Amino acid sequence: MVRRIGLSEVEALIAAGDTDIIDLREPHEFALGHIPGARNVPLGDLKAAPKSKLPRDKALFVCARGMRSLKAAEFAVEVGLRDVASLDGGT
């Protein structure tokens, strides 16, 4: 099941340090600014090689508006991740 979280909850996840923050935007979007500690994995790359792109079970997916992150989070659950969240509304 995918948890949908708000920006206030993201700060707690960052502080805990045990969540893989995956920014699904394209590299040129990511370069304009991103959540500290986030990895840039465009959605197409994630779907092409999920096992190599999702090394940890605890993942937070983010994007610009929240659509790609929700799709990626649902996909991550389908491939076996259990602790998955999507940033509701995007960055």
Side-chain angles (χ1 to χ4, degrees):
M1 183 171 148
V2 175
R3 290 181 297 133
R4 295 172 86 166
I5 65 170
L7 283 174
S8 61
E9 294 172 90
V10 170
E11 290 181 14
L13 290 177
I14 292 170
D18 62 348
T19 301
D20 190 9
I21 303 170
I22 303 169
D23 191 316
L24 299 152
R25 296 175 300 156
E26 294 299 319
H28 68 277
E29 295 173 288
F30 185 80
L32 295 174
H34 53 273
I35 294 173
R39 295 188 299 122
N40 184 218
V41 181
L43 184 56
D45 294 352
L46 176 69
K47 287 189 171 185
K51 295 290 184 193
S52 68
K53 304 296 182 186
L54 299 171
R56 295 167 50 187
D57 185 49
K58 192 169 186 179
L60 167 65
F61 295 94
V62 300
C63 68
R65 294 190 186 108
M67 300 304 289
R68 286 177 279 191
S69 62
L70 186 56
K71 286 180 183 178
E74 290 168 348
F75 177 71
V77 169
E78 288 175 16
V79 298
L81 270 68
R82 292 169 292 171
D83 193 351
V84 177
S86 172
L87 176 58
D88 201 27
T91 58

